Amino acid sequence: MTNNQLFENTKVAFQLKTDSELERAYFLFKMISHEPLVRIGTAATNFALKAHLPVEGLIRSTVFDHFCGGVNEEDCLKVIDKMYESGVSSVLDYSVEGKETEAQFDAAMEKTLKIIRFSDDRDAMPIAVFKPTGFGRFHLYEKKSQGKSLSADEQNEWDRVVARYHAVCKLGKEKDVEILIDGEESWMQDAADILVEEMMSHYNTDKPIVYNTLQLYRWDRLDYLVQLHKRAIKQGFKIGVKIVRGAYMEKERERAHEKGYRSPICDSKFETDRNFNDTMKYILENINDISVFVGTHNEVSNYIAMNLMDKLNIAKNDNNVWFGQLYGMSDHISFNLAAAGYNVAKYVPFGPVKDVMPYLIRRAEENTSVAGQTSRELNLIKKERQRRKLDD
Ligand SMILES: Cc1cc2nc3c(=O)[nH]c(=O)nc-3n(C[C@H](O)[C@H](O)[C@H](O)COP(=O)(O)OP(=O)(O)OC[C@H]3O[C@@H](n4cnc5c(N)ncnc54)[C@H](O)[C@@H]3O)c2cc1C
């Protein structure tokens, strides 16, 4: 049976953190546990960056260095190599958001292609990632999702989105680097789902290269997966999915309420948890057809996955099962899983300080609003501080 106290080992969890890095993490989580401070800090930072005040250095040495690997991919190598020595791989995540021009979409695609080439000769980076709206306009996905017909110009624009997906997935297959495609808002996701399925049918014929994302705070996703599974068997391709709970809950609920349709989000956290764990079970029971990247900081879901793998005789290092957390969060899960022999990869965000601010603000807000998560990080850091003191 699996050890359900695995994540309590703080020595393994924080093995890469020096005493001063541990103190910085403590200070940071303490700060972001105060909601008013996060609100004021966010507004002040946005203002200071817009006014070109010299705050980048301060941001870099605090929140940026904790949650990001660097400003470019070379910059991240130190973090990547260090984590890999402890068995934790990296998924380099170019976290620049909110860009809307064709040149910016091409630049994001080029960045992803560069990361795949960069990954090619590095065992520490077996996986690459991109966001649908990194490669095309949100409203174009939305219009496609609504089934509306596109103008001739829009159709050309969409063809360019499709070409970007093909370029990345094709190179992923050539270089044997798996491609995760993030999940976003439900009202643009249908178009992305159809496109990603097309990629899977092209590139996942021998093994899963392309992975879609299932956001399991959505109550309709297990049904979607079951249907996708039937189509994949019929057409002869493997499914890759990253499973997460989902990051846009408030926005989803507000929009549904405003427009008067049934919210796509489960009614409670309990329902989301059940949906996540049931879907994980379905996948692990069909592991020959469906490969999975389990993206969660939830300890219980990670323990359930480990126990199910044990029960179903899936080897800990089976390449069809990966676990993943975000850099700067839940090291107690990532490093203990890796030490126990599981495949683990952390998302390592990078990009110019100014451009990754929306990502950093989401992390700060998430750690403020996700009940218990910040206090969990703080308690673990306190425990490790104590352990180091006793060891001295
Ligand atoms: C490696 C990785 C990749 C990720 N990629 C994506 C991605 O592509 N797209 C994306 O949207 N998110 C992504 N996320 C973020 C993820 O969706 C979650 O927001 C985050 O991980 C918190 O969920 P959890 O399972 O870790 O933890 P938990 O703390 O157990 O769960 C919190 C989550 O539960 C859900 N929830 C909370 N309260 C309620 C409620 N009252 N009713 C219903 N549901 C509720 C919400 O989704 C909330 O984020 C990713 C996360 C990781 C670790």
Side-chain angles (χ1 to χ4, degrees), residues 283-326:
I283 293 168
L284 292 172
E285 283 170 353
N286 290 284
I287 200 66
N288 291 330
D289 301 332
I290 312 174
S291 297
V292 67
F293 185 99
V294 182
T296 181
H297 299 143
N298 184 299
E299 291 175 3
V300 175
S301 289
N302 280 295
Y303 282 132
I304 291 176
M306 291 154 65
N307 283 320
L308 276 170
M309 285 171 73
D310 197 28
K311 199 172 136 202
L312 295 163
N313 285 323
I314 302 172
K316 288 176 180 176
N317 66 348
D318 187 318
N319 202 42
N320 293 308
V321 186
W322 279 79
F323 292 86
Q325 290 76 40
L326 305 179

Side-chain angles (χ1 to χ4, degrees), residues 131 181-184 213 215 217 242 244-249 253 265-270 272-273 276 293-298 324-326 345 347 363 366 370-371 373:
K131 255 188 157 44
I181 302 171
D182 281 348
E184 301 184 72
T213 298
Q215 297 157 306
Y217 60 9
K242 172 178 66 166
V244 299
R245 282 183 170 72
Y248 308 92
M249 181 174 75
R253 283 190 171 147
I265 307 300
C266 294
D267 285 338
S268 64
K269 175 71 164 63
F270 176 81
T272 295
D273 290 348
F276 187 96
F293 185 99
V294 182
T296 181
H297 299 143
N298 184 299
Q325 290 76 40
L326 305 179
Y347 262 43
R363 290 291 80 78
E366 181 181 271
V370 177
Q373 192 141 287

Side-chain angles (χ1 to χ4, degrees), residues 20-266:
S20 63
E21 283 166 343
L22 202 63
E23 285 312 309
R24 186 186 67 192
Y26 184 77
F27 171 75
L28 198 70
F29 280 108
K30 196 92 194 150
M31 297 274 283
I32 59 184
S33 64
H34 295 289
E35 203 178 333
L37 213 61
V38 170
R39 246 185 295 125
I40 296 164
T42 302
T45 310
N46 280 337
F47 170 80
L49 284 171
K50 276 200 189 106
H52 300 289
L53 296 177
V55 289
E56 280 206 14
L58 181 66
I59 298 170
R60 250 215 102 151
S61 59
T62 52
V63 63
F64 183 92
D65 278 349
H66 183 84
F67 288 111
C68 297
V71 291
N72 55 45
E73 49 280 52
E74 285 82 11
D75 212 16
C76 296
L77 275 176
K78 230 171 85 187
V79 162
I80 293 170
D81 290 342
K82 221 165 95 174
M83 289 205 296
Y84 196 57
E85 279 171 28
S86 304
V88 174
S89 299
S90 295
V91 183
L92 271 189
D93 180 16
Y94 183 55
S95 299
V96 172
E97 296 177 18
K99 307 284 182 194
E100 286 270 281
T101 68
E102 288 296 294
Q104 287 164 335
F105 297 141
D106 283 337
M109 176 193 68
E110 289 300 339
K111 197 66 163 178
T112 315
L113 292 171
K114 189 173 170 200
I115 291 170
I116 297 169
R117 288 188 207 105
F118 195 69
S119 304
D120 186 27
D121 51 1
R122 287 185 177 83
D123 292 342
M125 299 169 57
I127 304 167
V129 64
F130 71 89
K131 255 188 157 44
T133 57
F135 285 8
R137 267 190 316 121
F138 185 97
H139 291 291
L140 195 62
Y141 283 102
E142 187 179 12
K143 198 165 177 187
K144 284 281 291 178
S145 298
Q146 288 165 340
K148 290 185 181 158
S149 51
L150 304 182
S151 69
D153 279 354
E154 285 172 335
Q155 187 56 50
N156 287 335
E157 193 185 337
W158 181 252
D159 291 345
R160 288 193 294 275
V161 177
V162 176
R164 291 184 190 109
Y165 275 62
H166 270 297
V168 164
C169 298
K170 185 166 172 277
L171 188 65
K173 188 172 165 106
E174 273 167 34
K175 304 284 185 197
D176 201 15
V177 171
E178 280 151 16
I179 311 290
L180 304 182
I181 302 171
D182 281 348
E184 301 184 72
E185 289 87 342
S186 61
W187 58 99
M188 56 66 66
Q189 191 63 44
D190 281 356
D193 287 343
I194 292 168
L195 185 50
V196 179
E197 186 172 337
E198 196 184 315
M199 296 300 127
M200 284 193 206
S201 68
H202 258 86
Y203 301 104
N204 289 9
T205 44
D206 307 328
K207 58 177 275 193
I209 290 289
V210 181
Y211 284 60
N212 202 1
T213 298
L214 296 179
Q215 297 157 306
L216 294 157
Y217 60 9
R218 285 181 60 172
W219 45 260
D220 64 349
R221 293 294 84 180
L222 179 51
D223 282 348
Y224 165 78
L225 177 65
V226 172
Q227 296 310 319
L228 175 64
H229 189 193
K230 285 185 190 151
R231 293 194 292 275
I233 291 171
K234 210 163 149 197
Q235 292 171 41
F237 65 87
K238 302 276 180 201
I239 297 175
V241 277
K242 172 178 66 166
I243 56 170
V244 299
R245 282 183 170 72
Y248 308 92
M249 181 174 75
E250 272 123 41
K251 218 169 159 186
E252 291 280 356
R253 283 190 171 147
E254 266 166 37
R255 186 175 190 273
H257 181 71
E258 236 170 61
K259 298 199 178 274
Y261 59 86
R262 180 178 172 196
S263 168
I265 307 300
C266 294

